[in-house]
Structures are given as C-alpha cells and as structure tokens.
C-alpha cells in the first residue's frame, strides 16, 4: 500500500516486516529517526523481538554479532562516526561470515564535525567484506531491506549487507512509499535458518585463530562469497520484481542511455536529481544519460564496462574522496576499464561533501564544463572559500 | 510542480507543517516530498522546511531555492533571515504578523498575505503555536489542497481536543485568507 | 585558501550572534524591590544580566532569549516577563 | 558593567533556559582563565562552537564524542612534558552520554592513570543533542525517544547508573555531585576540586527544558526539587569517604516529577503508574537513608 | 653508527632521537617490542618525555591528539585491530590538521584472528588523510621516522604520517641498521613549532562544527595539503640524503628497470625478496625490474605513470584486498594509467595475506605465469585449501 | 576413568602450570554443559582455539579483544527472543585487560542493561598474551615490559583498579572475588552466581608463571598467599552488601612477593625498596581492616 | 572449498595435540600415602589426573606438561616429579 | 650466504640464540639477519628461529626452507617436528641429546653432531638452559664465527656471574665439538 511516510519510518517498518529477533543500535544523527521509530514499535508491541539499547556503536555491532552466532536474525543502523567506531566488529562479522543487515544513513566523517550527508563513511568500509547497496529514494531504501536479508542469509553468500541511504535527504524526507503486507514479506523472505550456531546440543567453537597456514584461504573464500553474491543479488532482485512488481537495475541501472554521448555515473539520492537534470538537458538537445550504481560491493566491473564501453564521455560523481588519491567510485571505474580496448573519457568530480547541496544546476554545470577538465584529477565542484576564511583574521593576530 | 518554503524557529513546528501539508496533498492524489533544511538547530533558532507538490513523481533531492510559496511562522525572522530569497516572480508570501502587508513593506513584488496567527492560536488553541493555522492559510491562498485535506492531516497527527482546536484554528485562518482581505495587491513592475 | 587549517575559532566570537530575536517575552526590571541578592545575575543561562549598581541589574537584550528564569527565581519578584511586540 | 566578565560568552545557540549552558558557564567562571578544556560531542559542543563562532573564552578543544577524558589526559601530559603544568588547570567534560556511556572507558583510564584533570559530567539524563534518546543516566520509567511509553513499555526500564559511586570506586581523591539549582555550591566544588592534584570527578545535574518537557523558566526550580526530593543527593567524597552532604527537608518525588512531561504517563490513574511512582519514591528514600540527607 | 639491532628497537631509538614530548600507545602484536623498548628507555631516563600507558588504542590516539593540540610532539604505534579501533580518532586528527607520527607494524585484520603481517590494516585507513610511507627494511623503517616528523610538521602539510613496517618480518628481525647521533638528528629535525595550539594567553577554539557552508572547503584544503606533501616529501628526502648519506626513491624507487620488459610493483618488506628474485631471474635471461612504492599517500600517480608507461608487463603485488573489488594497489595503479596513451598490461596478485610467507619462488612463479592470467581479476597466489577443510567433517555431522 | 569429564579438554597450549587454564576449567566445569561462552582475545582464547583445534566442549565464541560482554549480551538477547533462555546459561569472560581496560565500557553496558550473563574476569595482572605488559590490574611497583624497573622507574606506578568495587557500584545483584588457590570456593561462587538472574561479576585471580616469574609448580601456593596476605581478599557482595569474606591469619606480604621475579627489585637493600614494600603491606592491611579479614 | 565458513572448530579437538612431549619432569604416584583427598585431580591445569579408585589417581601422560603442581600440592607427598629420559 | 634454523621450545631461548649468533657474526664483519618463526606459542610449545649470515647485504625477507645448519635444542622435538626438512645435502644438524649420532639414527645423509648440552648446562650454569651452549657448538661446527665472537655476544646480553658461566659452558661445547668426536660421518650416497 502506498503510504506517505518519512524515509526513516519506511525503513523501520520494513525492518520490522523482516522480523529480526534482535535489534541493537546507538543513536547518531541522521540515523536517529530509524531507531526511534523502531523503539516506538517495540513499545507498541508491534516489534516483538529484543530491542537492546547499548552504550556505544561498538557494543551495538557486538550485540548483533552475539545474536547472529546464536542463530538469530539481527539488525543495526548507524552512520559516520558510529560506523568507524564499530568498524573493527564489522570486519570481524564479514570474516566470520555472519549475515546481518545494517542501514547506514550516510553522513560525512569528522573532522571537522559535520552531521550532513556524504558517502565517506560507507566508502571507508569498502574493504570490510560487507555487501554494499545504495538507495536512490525512500522506496528503494525500504525495498532494499527485504532483499538485503535474503541476500545476506543465502548459504552461498553469508555476508553482512550494508544498505546505504543518504542522511537527511532520504532519512528525513517524507515521500510516498509502497509498503508491503506482512504476508507478502513472509512469502518472499523465509525465516533465518543458519547452517551453524551456538547450540548446547551441538557445541561448536566459533572465531578461532587461523595462522599463516589457513588465513589466506579463509580470505579467499570471502572473496568467492562476494562473487557468489552477484548471482544471488540477481536472483533476489528478480524475484522481488516478480513478487512486488517493482523493478530495479540489479547491479547498475540506467536512464536515457540509448543515444547518450555523455553518461553520468553516481550512487545515492543524487541519482534522482541527475534524472531531472538529464530531462532538462535533453530538452536542450544535449545527449546525456545516467548509470546508477546500486551494488557497490561486490563491485560490478563487468556490468559497468558493458554499460559504458561505447560511451564517449563519462562523468563520475563521487560524494567521497580518498584523501591523497581522489574520487573512490571514479578510481574503481577507471580501473575496471583497464585492459579494455574501447575506453570512454572518464572525468571525476567530488561533489556534495558534508551536505553541500547538489542541485540541478550543479549537474548541468558539470556536464557543460566537461571538455575543459583534465582527465586525471578529481575536481572539487562549487568551492567557495570565503566562509572558511572567517577564522583567519584572528589567527593572524596571535 | 509547486515548491513551498517554510521559515520558522526551532520548536514552532515548521517541519510538522511541511509534513502535514504534504500529507494533505498526498491524500489529494498528488505526488509530494516534504523535508526539513536539516540542521543542528535548537529551540528558538531559525529553521526551514520544504515541500514539493507535483502531478508526477518527484525525483529531485535538493533543497528549494526558487519557491512558489514562502510561509513565515515568526515575524522576527524577517529581520535576520532572507525569507524572500529566490521567491518566484509570481510567488506568494504568507507571514504571521500583526502588521498589514503594507505596514510590513517587504522588498518584493509578489503577493504578500499577513495575519495574526498567534492571536488565533492563543485564543482558539490556548498556546501560541501557529503551524496548523498557517496550513489553513496556505490551503486558502494556494488552492492546492481542499480544507478537508488539512483537517484530515491534523486529525492524523493530533488527538481529541487538541486536534479539534487545531482544526478550528486552521479553519478560521482558511476562511480569513479565502476572504482575501489580508493580501497585498500583487504589484506590477513600476 | 584559508590559513585556518583546523577550522579554529576566535574566543567569544559567538557575541556576533544576537540571540535576542529568539525571544517571545522579555524580562523587565521594576527596579524597586531588588535587594541586590545577585540571584538573577548568577543564574541567567546566557550570562547576560549585569549589575549596574548595588541594587540595579539589567539585561543585555541583544542576547536574552526570554527564558523567564530570572523572573521566576527573583525572590522579590522585581522582574516581569513582558510579551515582545513583533 | 563588564559585558565580558564570563568565560562562556552569550550568542551561543542553546535552547532558552538550558541548564547545561548555565552549568558550563558556572564551571568555567569558577575555574578561571588559566583553564584548558577538552569537550565531548554533545549539545554543549554544538551550541557553543558552530563555525564561525565560539562562545569559549578559554582554550578549548573538541575531538569526538567519547574521548574528552583521553584528550584531557594528553593535554595534561603535554603540559607536564613541556613544563607548563604548574599554572594551568585542565578540565575534560561531556554530557551524560559522553561520560557514562560511550566515554566511560576513556574516563576510567584517565582516573586509573592518575592524570591531574577535573572531569565534569553535565547530566541532563539523555542524549539531547541527537533528540532525547535514553542514556544510562536516564531515570527509571522516563519516556524518551528510544524508551517511549507504549503498550509494551513504561519508559526506560533501568535505573540511573550510579556514576558518582563508580568514580569513587576508582579510588580517586575527589568526587562530588552538584547542580545548577545550587550555583554557589557548584562553583565551590569546582574550586575545591581544582585545588586538589590528581583526577577529580564532578557530576552536575543540568535540567533540559526540551528533553524533560519542562517550561524554560523552571530550570532552577526543577533542579532544586531534584535535590530536595532526595532523588539527586548532593554529596562530596574525599579519598573515598563522604565528607559532606547537603541536608534537605524531603519533598515527595511527585513534586519533582509532575512538572515534567517525560513523566506524564506516571500520573495516569492506574495501578501500574502508582507502582512506578512508589518505586521512584523508594529510590529517593534510599538516598535519604544512605547519605543521611534529612536535616 | 651501524648497529646490529632488532627492527622494533631501531624504530624505538629513532623515535627517541626525534624527541617527542608525549608517547602513548597500547600493546598489540607485533608492535609490542617497539612499545616495550620505549618503556625501557623511559625507565632508564633515556626518553625524557611523558609515556602514557593507556587502556585502549582509542585512548592512545586521543592522548596524542590532546598532546598535539597543546603544542607537543607526539608518537604512537599500533597495528591491525588497534588501528581500526582508533580509526575514528585518526580521521579526526588528519581533518584537524594535527601532525603526528604513527608506526604501523602491519598485520592482518580479523576475522579470522591472525597476528601475522599483511597490509589490510594500513590500507583500510587509506582515505583517512594520513600520509602513508612503507619501509622495505629496518634501515628504511628507522630512517623514515626522522623524515616523517619533518614532513608531518611542515607548515604547508600539517598532516599525520603513518610509517608502515611489516609486522614480524621487520619488527622482529635483527639486521644491521645505521643509527645517527642525537646531534645529527637535531640538525635535521628542528623542534616542533606549531602555528596554533592551546594557550591560555591566546585562547582558541579547536574542533568546531562546520556545516554545509564550509565542510567541503576544509576537506579540499586537506587534499591540497596532500598535494603539498609531494613537494615536501621530495625536499625532506633529498635533505636526508645529503645529511645522512642514504638515498631513497622519493615516492617510488626502482631496481634494474633499464631494459626491463616486466616490472613488479610492490611495497613493504617483500621488495627485498623481489630484488633477490630479480637477480636470479636476470641470471636466467628474464628481463625483470622492480618499482617499489614508498609513498602510498599521497598517491604518486605521475611518478608511477612516468616510471611504467614504457613497460610491457606490470605485475602488482598486493598484500591486501578490498573484498569484492580486488588488489588495492593494483586498482589505483590501473586507474592512474587512465587516459594515458601508452599503457602496460597490469596483472594483479594477492599475495602473503595473514603472514603467508612470500618466497623467491612465489615471485618467480608469478613472473613465469604472467602470460596465462586474465587481465581483470586479482589472483590469489599459492592457495592450499586442505588445512581449512579440517573443520568440515565435524560440521557435516551436526 | 572418564577422560572426557572436563568441559575444557587437554591438549591446549597454555604454559605448564598456567593458572588461567586451571581457572577456566574450574569455571566451565562448575557451570556445566548448558552453558554458552563468549570470550575476549587473550591467552585463554589463543591457547584453546588455535585452528584446527579447540579445547572447549561447550558452545563458545570469540569475536574481539574488547567485547565479550556485549557479545554475551547479544547471545542472551537472542536466546530470549527465540525462547531458548530458560535452560541455557551465558558466560562472558576475558583477561584483566579485556575486562578492566579495553573492555570495561562494554562490561559496564552489560551491567547497566541488566543482561542475565555471568562475567568472569581472569586476572593474571598483566597483558600476558602479548608478552606481559602492564594493565590496570597490575599491582603497584610490579615490573612488566611496559613498566620495567630502571633508573627512572620502580615498576608500575599505579595501584590495581578495584574492579570488584566498580562492579558493586553498578548495583548488580552479585559480585565476588575468587582464585584458583581455593578451587571449591571458586566453583561454588560460579554456581551461586548462575543461580541468580541478572548480571553477575566474578573476579578470579589466576597466577601466570611466565608473567609473574614464578616456578610453574607454585601456581596454587602463590594464589593462596595472595589471599592469606590480605592483598587479594575473597569477598562476596549480594545486592551491594558484603555477605561473605574468607577469614585469614595474615602472613606478611613479603611471603607472597618474594617468590615472584616481577617483584625482585623490591628486595634490593635500599630505602626506596623498603618504602615500596611497606606501601604494599599497607594495602594489605587496609584490606584486612576494611573487610574484617582476620579470623 | 571448505564448508567451514567461519573457521569453526570441533569441540574438544585439542585432544589431538599431545602436549606430553613438552615435559621435562613427570609426576609419578607412589600410590602409598594417598588419602583420596582429590586435590591433585582438582587442580591439575591440564585436567589430566583421573581417579581410578578411591585412593588411586593417575595421570594421562599424553598431555601432562610436567608443571609439578600436583606434586607440590599433594598434602601427603604421594607424588614425585621425576626427570624425563630424553 | 649460509642459513641456519634453530628448533626449540618456548622458553628455551632459541630466538636469543639466533639473535646472539647473529651478533657474533655481525661483529665478525658479516651481514646478518636473525628472526623468529613468528608465533603465538607459549612456554613449552615448539618454536623456530632463523639466522642468515652473508658477505653482502641480505635483502630477502622470507623464512628459511633450505638451511645449511639445523640446531635442535630439545631432543623431544625430533619426534614431532620435521627438523630435517629442506636441509641442504651438505648440511649439518646439531642436536642436544644424550644419544650418539648413531643411536639417534636420523633419516639424513648430512653430518649429525650430538652432545648432551643439558648436562653441561646443569653442571656449569646450574640450570638446563642450552642456548648459549649450542652457540658454542655451532661456532665450532661451522667455523663461521671465532669463539671470541660468541663470548662477546654472551657478555653483551648477560651480566656478571651468569655471563661468566654461560661463556664457560659455551666454551666447553666449543672445545668438545672442535674435537670432532661427536659427529657422525657425513654419509655418501649409498
Ligand atoms: C561515535 C559516535 N556515536 C554517536 C554520535 C552521535 N551523538 C553526538 S552527541 C550524542 C548525544 C550526546 O548526549 P550527551 O553526552 O548526554 O550530551 P547532551 O547532548 O545530552 O548534552 C550522540 C548520540 C557521535 N557523534 N559519535
Ligand atoms: C583492539 C586490540 N588491541 C590490542 C590487541 C592485542 N591484544 C590481544 S590480547 C591482549 C592482552 C590480553 O591481556 P588480558 O586481557 O589481560 O588477557 P591475558 O592474555 O593476560 O590472559 C592484547 C593487548 C587486540 N587483539 N585488539
Ligand atoms: S529571561 Fe532568561 S535569558 Fe533573559 S535575562 Fe532572564 S534569565 Fe537571562
Ligand atoms: S536540548 Fe536541552 S541540553 Fe540541549 S541546548 Fe536545548 S535545553 Fe540545552
Ligand atoms: S602466559 Fe601466563 S596466562 Fe598465558 S598461557 Fe602462559 S601461564 Fe597462562
Ligand atoms: S605435573 Fe602438572 S600437568 Fe602434569 S599431572 Fe601434575 S599438575 Fe597435571
């Protein structure tokens, strides 16, 4: 049923529909509404599992870990500082092959402290072994959760999944979202049946120390699980489409690509803004298209190359930068083309850090300026240094 | 698509107003998107909220810079916040103030509507909370939403007596603005 | 580019932010019953009540947010909270 | 009329009537200008240091939510290493969340290592900066956004973690509780603490009109009622022994609770509500007994 | 003077020669010897600053942060789990532009828990804003510390520096290391004179919250500082050579590149093993060379492209993998070539995870097999799954 | 002769005479087979679960160094959520470092939330797994690898952080100290703790021949001397009140200290050494006084 | 590839690791003075002293590391530590 | 370059032996590299340590798989650890054991040297710690390091009486092995 609902609430309801046994989270802007909505559902006896209010994100993730090894379905949500603080546990959960769904309400990383959206947080965890999915809008944010559990728990995958949604832009926006019934979700998502879990009848030892003789093989298996995830994501996405009637690009999605000379690549909520910009530019005769990255881990090199190989110009919009190297998505996309014969020109832009608004004008300006940009560097877009010079005068006096 | 920007102060319910207006529009079969200008502001500090209403899916996710409507919840904001910024030439400003549009003398050629929402609020609701009242005013000024939509939205959020009073107050504002007495003439280029 | 590597701030620069316009009601001293007890001065959360004289205090309305604590706590009720004209 | 006499300047963006802004000013004024402060993330940091403006008149640093005590330790160690430790006092501070939850471990480490730092916990009994979520300092049965009242919940299910007792258990030289409701007492405790070498802990109750759902004018009143009901006793411990308590003529806790929206559900006319009120009265009675609060 | 010394001890002595005011660290294998040696020097009154034994890595980094904002020179060392646990503070120090030298005794990341070397830890922090330098042997490890402080504190840089040395392989090896005198170090490294610090005479507010209006500019400045670091690293490395007579490649270094058809790219202690392998292969007529990456952040794209552009085959040895994407160094190198006309074939190998020994045979096998490898994937080298199947039998029974 | 009667199997790789291996076996045997364990990184984890072999006969999980109490909380929550909590007991455990230092906060959180988990701290008074570095549980003046004896150092400068007192300050139902030197007492405390619902804390002194520099055959002896000198009192607290102490006929602390290489420098013939010994005796005397240990 | 996703271990599988060869001295019961007090059985850190009879205990030398605690603690000195022949 | 692998048990000083042998070789003007087979092993568990001695800079950083010399500190290891693995055909094994090379009957054609280091240790040093003694034996067997080098290395690590006793014990082993009585004949291919 279509509901007019805040993004956070849509996610909270979606999570409850997935019937996790244990939810544990720690509040941090802009994830708070999700947790608060879940708390209210718990208080209203709409969510019937355990809700564990912890003293830090480190413990939130650890409680989830404990729950999953005990055979429970678990959920957490966080962002930014919280994601970094729990990062040790997250690498560990992936390495232990424990399914989990974590919502990351993407936000910039300190310093300077800033509570607004960008993708530095999730990107900083891109090595961790988490599957990473990015939502374009609240409908997708909610829908990704049903899919995420199914992907995460698939026996050939068994990896935790991070569902990314832009902080505030999605979490705090009210939009119409189609919410399924409990029955529909139950039909789609079977209950969690782990292969192994802590059980006094069949004791096992979890989390052993593996030396030089096996560590590399365990990590290799992890990579293989990520590869398996390609197939599982495809299967689950298609099954979702069939059952719920909403269609997603599987790893990537496209918009007006048919005759496009220039293609913008992006992930997250900016994708919607880009679509509007494209309609505008096309109305002016500029042949622009969009490739949206929905699955960032595993990184869908093949799908990306297939999609872009005949394009002349590619614009990669990164909402995060690896300091001292540049746009993260851009780097991986450029690398993906390595060894290909037909290679577009790929320009890299750093946009919208720390909540800097990305408008239609931002996008059309980038497209308009494409030809003037050198290939290698990542360009920071729409800088205005005046504001930050405010402190200078005093500093000169001391 | 019409775009609305609401100016208020933390604690005055600007975000709720945007949200509930959106709900009303949604119920009227429109596509909507309501969101705050995400801040770390505390009670009393200036805040903004946004609303888009459209006939087709709203995909853009950026703030509103060229609104069709501006709603000002607190007259003191006029002195410190550039509430008129970007307002479309044929836009409308609704201001909660004791003053008439003329007394206000805003630097704009747009239509300006003023009325004393706090007076209504204090009298009808018992507290100087103007957000639902401004919703009524907006419904009247814009014609985008039938008053029943406003009523339903208020009832979805508030309960019992509070809901009733808020509806009554909003209604009063709705009728007042419908009357058209409180508007400036939309001045033509001089 | 800015010198200001760490986003460093000047001390006390918040004085640039006149929070007086947050106010809906403002404190008005009657300046008659005051005993000079200094309560109001000590507790104002903004720290903007100043002693002008032994038994005369006044408020810096540039910053006063109108919380009403001074009026509430004044033991001799020398302060009234008066609605702001807006 | 010296408009610059305070070391926390006006123009900060705390809510009107904020007890935390009051408390922070009292503390820094009592500490004086030769003080350096390390601050956790939280309301205090956000409302005093949003670029481009700062309300602080003393050297001040914020790094993260959970580490002001470790940052303070580093400041102290640096001052020592550079021979600047004689004239300068170091304060580390944070909200109840930054202190008793996510920052507890770094605080415990600071205590254990014996740094010459005064730690101040501004306890507004929830995570206010992020919108009134429960903390370990949220009282029993309080409605917050993560412990809401509802069919299956009577608000926060746990009692306040006893931070003063935990600090005392760390065997540090000075521990005290205070509140903005008794400002002279608070300032004296700050001064006394700073006169002692080694780690010190001061737990300051600061009502939050927003989070407690109290009218802004009642901040001082409500803080006094917390003390006068026995629910928040004012106590000093020196070297592990209670050396001072503020005597009271106990008021019923309902006098304190009923002013606050966060306890509204406790005043429903049913047995469960009454039972919860009775428990809270019992907590106060226990304090009155334990610390001999009755005057 | 040439000393026969354990790598950890060489680093500890080097650090003390740099006269930090405050050292704070938390023990973790294989960093422990560094910290223990520093403790002993403190006990012996050879190190005269403050030594702060903390309760966690989070606090170790935070103590350093507090010390640096107070105007002190600080030092810490860690690895693996410890690096992840302190990651929130590290991002913060870089964002606050606080100089620091951190030694990372590189080790694999859990799970499974493993205390042996690889580069997953440092790589996981590659977005943080830390400058990253990698040591080939203990001489370089020690020498990098004198240089690191000078780079870190340069006014146009003011960024923390991570000196990476392979755990055990370097930290626990006794090798001859030339240690300078105090006078020599003093002549090279001036005392720390920060531009701004906490001072009651000139109070400042550090660590403010910066909104959408300035965050992006602050992050841009950080990127610029990283760019400035190129020049400073070059200057400092050359000055070091002049004063100490030891020559390093600045961002990269090469070995037998002149007529090389195949070039191996690597960082860390494996570089030495590769040099031996090259000598061996060249003796057999195989034209192999080496490009060593010494500076990984800022990432020296230009130097790398210049060095490799005329090479036919490039072999990138990664001792870390971004799960779901592949070799991290390989990805960045491939991306660096983007837009270049002359592009080598770049193959990517994941080698030596979790302390898996990398031998001369490992290297020669890789070179020998080069032609058989598809371009795009990262190959895990020398897998043997038997060991890890040990648990299977029991698991099948439950 | 049932060679499988213990729930911690032999073949683990602890040092000969390891008090920790002894303690862990006693605990799990007392707890019985319906127990699930979450374990911190440390000697115990490393010597019992190096792939491909495990010494544990009960379900057991290790995740990281600092979070066994949070993992234990998750296990408990999951059991509750799935209705499996009635028959199964949950233990979270770690060394003194994992408990009192890097894991203190997650432990405090577990206490505060009231999980039905028994936490066991195996206190060997240093970080043994990584090579005998000091922890907050290292006694005053102990030589360790990060608090070595030297010209400018007399070993560890701080006293043991008082974990039992800190646990008591958390107002949990059951706290006790124990040691492998008194195995029946230890096992009884485990059983008693597990009979109580809610969070429980048991602090177990486990001598480490390697780190304490003691002959391996003396593990039990030395543990007894720790108790009999008063330096490590055996105490039980129920609901915050001392309900039981083990009475002793106090031996001088030197009897305890002199067997241990880590205290060797205290037996030098000089005033400083004597002063430090006297301080340590004073700590023991204080315990004897505080808990009324004298029989 | 292994099924063993999480590097899971079988309970008690450490029994495959015969630590007996770490030993330099081994405990030998005289089997004469034993009072059946069970001390040795309770405290052996390896848990490898087994009661065979009321007053007869024996050691599983496959695992005994020769720490000497049993001999040290036996109240009647029924156990000797004897050097291993190597 | 010659490569040496030392097998021992945690606590027996194998790593120290490698380190000190390296020190002696360094003092004799050689390039050296000494390192443990990095483990998490505790007292009593099998451990390894490695040493390379060369005439030019040692750049390789991997373990030693084809040693020229193997030193076995504890005879019980022979049963459980493949101490001979990779030993070069002309390599040498030095084993601390009461047995003669013939009694030991190792499956190798290399030269085998045996002697009872614990006996010497117990008698001369007073504790069964054989590492310095095996250093003396290695010096004699290999001819790589003059005994003075061993002496200096021991004195650099130990102090006073302990040093003296260790030197004496090492010397005794040195002389014993120099005598050549304890070696097997290096068997030729049969
Ligand atoms: C690691 C981390 N987790 C969460 C947050 C979000 N956060 C910032 S302040 C805060 C609550 C502060 O509460 P408290 O310490 O009680 O101070 P108050 O704002 O109530 O004064 C939270 C949850 C953060 N900044 N960092
Ligand atoms: C975050 C992190 N920091 C450091 C370490 C390294 N480490 C592992 S165990 C350990 C010490 C364990 O000490 P303790 O808890 O006292 O247990 P013990 O080994 O003494 O029994 C350390 C420092 C780690 N694994 N993770
Ligand atoms: S009303 Fe509040 S802010 Fe204004 S002067 Fe009084 S106490 Fe201060
Ligand atoms: S939310 Fe509470 S603590 Fe925060 S500024 Fe407002 S009144 Fe103060
Ligand atoms: S180091 Fe100590 S605690 Fe660890 S296994 Fe050895 S004796 Fe036991
Ligand atoms: S010597 Fe030690 S390990 Fe062996 S049986 Fe006796 S107590 Fe057990």
């Amino acid at each position: 049923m279509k509901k007019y609902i805040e993004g956070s609430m849509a996610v909270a309801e979606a999570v409850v529909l997935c019937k996790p046994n244990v939810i544990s989270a720690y509040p941090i802007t802009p994830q708070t509404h999700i947790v608060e909505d879940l708390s209210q559902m718990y208080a209203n006896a709409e969510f019937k599992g355990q809700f564990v209010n912890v003293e830090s994100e480190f413990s939130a993730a650890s409680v989830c870990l404990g729950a999953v090894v005990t055979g429970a379905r678990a959920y957490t949500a966080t962002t930014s500082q919280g994601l970094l603080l729990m990062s040790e546990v997250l690498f560990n959960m992936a390495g232990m092959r424990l399914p989990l769904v974590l919502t990351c309400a993407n936000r910039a990383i300190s310093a300077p402290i800033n509570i607004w959206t960008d993708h530095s947080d999730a990107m900083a965890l891109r090595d961790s072994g988490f599957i990473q999915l990015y939502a374009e809008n609240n409908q997708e944010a909610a829908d990704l959760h049903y899919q995420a559990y199914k992907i995460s728990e698939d026996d050939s995958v068994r990896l935790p999944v991070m569902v990314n949604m832009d902080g505030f832009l999605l979490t705090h926006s009210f939009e119409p979202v189609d919410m399924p019934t409990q029955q529909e979700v139950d039909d789609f998502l079977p209950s969690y049946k782990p292969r192994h879990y802590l059980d006094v009848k069949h004791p096992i030892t979890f989390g052993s120390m593996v030396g030089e003789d096996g560590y590399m093989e365990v990590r290799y298996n992890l990579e293989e699980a990520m590869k398996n995830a390609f197939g599982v994501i495809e299967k689950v996405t298609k099954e979702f489409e069939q059952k719920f009637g909403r269609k997603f690009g599987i790893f990537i999605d496209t918009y007006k690509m048919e005759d496009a000379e220039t293609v913008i690549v992006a992930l997250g909520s900016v994708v919607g803004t880009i679509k509007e910009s494209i309609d505008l530019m096309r109305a002016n005769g500029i042949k622009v298209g969009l490739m949206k990255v929905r699955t960032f881990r595993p990184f869908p090199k093949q799908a990306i190359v297939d999609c872009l190989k005949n394009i002349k110009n590619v614009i990669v919009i990164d909402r995060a930068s690896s300091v001292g190297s540049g746009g993260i998505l851009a780097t991986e996309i450029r690398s993906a083309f390595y060894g290909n014969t037909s290679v577009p020109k790929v320009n890299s832009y750093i946009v919208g850090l720390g909540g800097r608004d990305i408008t239609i004008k931002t996008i059309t300006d980038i497209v308009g300026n494409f030809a003037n940009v050198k290939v290698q560097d990542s360009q920071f877009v729409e800088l205005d240094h005046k504001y930050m010079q405010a402190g200078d005068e005093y500093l000169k006096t001391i | 698509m019409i775009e609305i920007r609401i100016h208020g102060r933390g604690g005055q319910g600007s975000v709720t107003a945007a949200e509930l207006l959106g709900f009303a529009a949604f119920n009227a079969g429109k596509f909507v998107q309501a969101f705050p200008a995400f801040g770390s502001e505390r009670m009393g500090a200036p805040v903004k909220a946004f609303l888009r209403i459209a006939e087709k899916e709203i995909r853009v996710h950026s703030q509103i810079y060229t609104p069709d409507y501006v709603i000002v919840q607190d007259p003191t904001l006029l002195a410190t916040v550039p509430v008129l910024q970007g307002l479309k030439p044929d836009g409308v400003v609704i201001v909660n103030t004791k003053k008439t549009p003329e007394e206000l003398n805003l630097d704009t050629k747009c239509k300006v509507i003023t009325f004393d929402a706090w007076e209504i609020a204090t009298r009808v609701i018992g507290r100087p909370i103007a957000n639902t009242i401004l919703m009524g005013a907006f419904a009247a000024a814009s014609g985008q939403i039938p008053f029943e939509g406003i009523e339903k939205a208020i009832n979805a959020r508030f309960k019992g007596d509070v809901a009733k009073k808020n509806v009554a107050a909003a209604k009063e504002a709705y009728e007042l603005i419908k009357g058209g007495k409180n508007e400036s003439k939309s001045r033509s280029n001089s | 580019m800015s010198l200001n590597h760490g986003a460093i701030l000047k001390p006390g620069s918040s004085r640039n932010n006149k929070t007086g316009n947050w106010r809906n009601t403002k404190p008005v001293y009657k300046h008659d019953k005051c005993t000079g007890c200094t309560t109001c001065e000590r507790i104002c959360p903004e720290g903007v009540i100043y002693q002008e004289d032994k038994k005369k205090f006044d408020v810096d309305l540039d910053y006063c947010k109108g919380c009403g604590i001074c009026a509430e706590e004044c033991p001799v009720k020398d302060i009234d909270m008066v609605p702001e004209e807006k | 009329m010296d408009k610059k006499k305070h070391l926390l300047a006006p123009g900060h963006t705390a809510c009107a009537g904020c007890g935390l802004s009051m408390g922070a000013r009292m503390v820094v004024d009592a500490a004086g200008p030769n003080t350096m402060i390390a601050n956790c993330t939280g309301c205090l940091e956000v409302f005093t240091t949003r670029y481009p403006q700062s309300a602080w008149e003393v050297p001040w640093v914020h790094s993260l939510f959970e580490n002001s005590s470790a940052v303070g330790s580093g400041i102290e160690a640096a001052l020592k290493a550079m021979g600047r430790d004689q004239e300068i006092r170091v304060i580390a501070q944070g909200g109840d969340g930054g202190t008793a939850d996510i920052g507890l471990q770094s605080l415990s480490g600071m205590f254990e290592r014996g740094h010459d730092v005064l730690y101040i916990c501004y306890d507004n009994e929830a995570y206010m900066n992020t919108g009134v979520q429960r903390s370990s300092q949220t009282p029993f049965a309080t409605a917050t956004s993560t412990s809401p009242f509802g069919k299956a919940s009577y608000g926060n299910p746990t009692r306040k973690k006893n931070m003063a007792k935990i600090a005392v258990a760390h065997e540090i030289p000075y521990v005290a509780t205070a509140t903005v409701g008794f400002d002279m007492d608070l300032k004296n405790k700050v001064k006394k603490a700073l006169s002692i070498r080694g780690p010190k802990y001061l737990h300051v109750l600061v009502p939050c009109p927003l989070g407690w759902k109290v009218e802004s004018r009642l901040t001082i009143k409500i803080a006094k009622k917390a003390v006068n009901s026995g629910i928040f006793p004012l106590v000093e411990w020196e070297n592990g022994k209670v050396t001072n308590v503020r005597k009271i003529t106990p008021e019923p806790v309902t006098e304190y609770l009923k002013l606050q929206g966060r306890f509204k559900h406790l005043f429903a006319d049913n047995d469960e509500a009454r039972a919860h009120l009775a428990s809270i009265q019992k907590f106060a009675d226990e304090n009155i007994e334990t610390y001999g609060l009755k005057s």
Side-chain angles (χ1 to χ4, degrees), chain A residues 62-98:
Chain A
S62 301
V63 164
C64 288
L65 190 154
V68 176
V69 294
T70 311
R73 181 175 286 166
Y75 174 76
T76 191
T78 188
T79 175
S80 180
Q81 309 306 117
L83 196 73
L84 286 185
L85 184 58
M86 61 165 69
S87 61
E88 203 196 344
V89 188
L90 301 184
F91 274 82
N92 216 37
M93 287 194 79
M96 290 172 81
R97 306 290 298 280
L98 300 176

Side-chain angles (χ1 to χ4, degrees), chain C residues 2 4 7-19 22 38-39 41-52 58-63 65-70 72-73 77, chain D residues 1-6 8-19 21-22 25-26 48-58 180 183-184 187 215-221 224:
Chain C
S2 168
N4 192 353
I8 290 167
L9 301 175
K10 181 177 166 180
S13 46
S14 61
R15 289 193 174 82
N16 294 333
N17 187 33
K18 302 285 158 63
T19 51
W22 295 23
T38 74
T39 300
E41 185 203 11
R42 281 168 10 227
I43 57 169
C44 166
E46 313 306 318
V48 292
I49 300 185
Y50 301 97
Q51 185 159 24
E52 313 228 328
D58 233 329
V59 174
D60 186 342
L61 289 173
D62 276 356
Y63 302 105
K65 292 174 186 157
C67 68
I69 294 177
C70 50
E72 181 74 21
E73 294 301 323
K77 300 287 162 213
Chain D
M1 163 163 153
D2 174 13
K3 290 203 173 183
K4 294 223 166 185
K5 66 176 181 169
H6 296 303
L8 187 73
H12 61 72
T13 60
C15 307
C18 170
S21 68
M22 218 183 254
R25 182 174 50 68
M26 291 171 183
T48 58
T49 65
R50 174 84 190 259
Y51 198 91
Q53 291 163 349
S54 170
W56 296 96
E57 299 279 10
V58 296
V180 291
D183 66 312
M184 299 306 285
K187 287 185 161 191
E215 285 178 63
S216 66
R217 69 187 163 88
L218 295 180
T219 303
I220 295 285
K221 272 253 132 96
K224 287 197 161 131

